[in-house]
Amino acid sequence: MSILKKPIITEKATMQSELFNAYAFEVNTKANKVEIKKAVEAAYGVSVEKVRTINVRPDRKTKFTKTGVQHGKTNAVKKAIVQLAEGETIDLYTNM
């Protein structure tokens, strides 16, 4: 079971990394904060101060078409925002 799925690279995540030294990752939905902290420290060789997690619910959509009503939903994901110790950084663009 891999804990870290992929880093989240958006405008908001980039701003957080520059201002607060916090990086966002999409993680396994069953992972807890201790496992996420150990996985980031092992993968990137940094020391983690704080881990915050977010469970994102699936979006449900309905379309009305000629053939009838179509229902669908996106997958539920879990995000982790990892704050690093002072002076440490992660270069997400070379470690992909």
Side-chain angles (χ1 to χ4, degrees), residues 5-83:
K5 290 185 179 177
K6 63 181 180 179
I8 299 172
I9 301 173
T10 59
E11 288 184 29
K12 185 175 182 178
T14 306
M15 183 186 67
Q16 283 182 342
S17 67
E18 292 171 356
L19 297 178
F20 305 113
N21 205 19
Y23 297 86
F25 294 94
E26 186 175 317
V27 296
N28 191 332
T29 55
K30 297 187 181 200
N32 61 28
K33 292 182 180 185
V34 176
E35 293 172 342
I36 294 168
K37 179 179 178 178
K38 288 180 183 177
V40 171
E41 288 176 346
Y44 296 103
V46 294
S47 61
V48 176
E49 282 188 352
K50 185 192 285 189
V51 177
R52 294 173 288 166
T53 58
I54 307 159
N55 283 312
V56 180
R57 64 175 171 78
D59 287 336
R60 298 185 184 278
K61 294 184 177 183
T62 304
K63 276 196 287 192
F64 298 99
T65 63
K66 288 182 187 178
T67 59
V69 180
Q70 301 290 321
H71 299 286
K73 72 175 183 75
T74 60
N75 293 331
V77 295
K78 187 173 193 175
K79 298 179 186 179
I81 299 172
V82 178
Q83 187 167 357

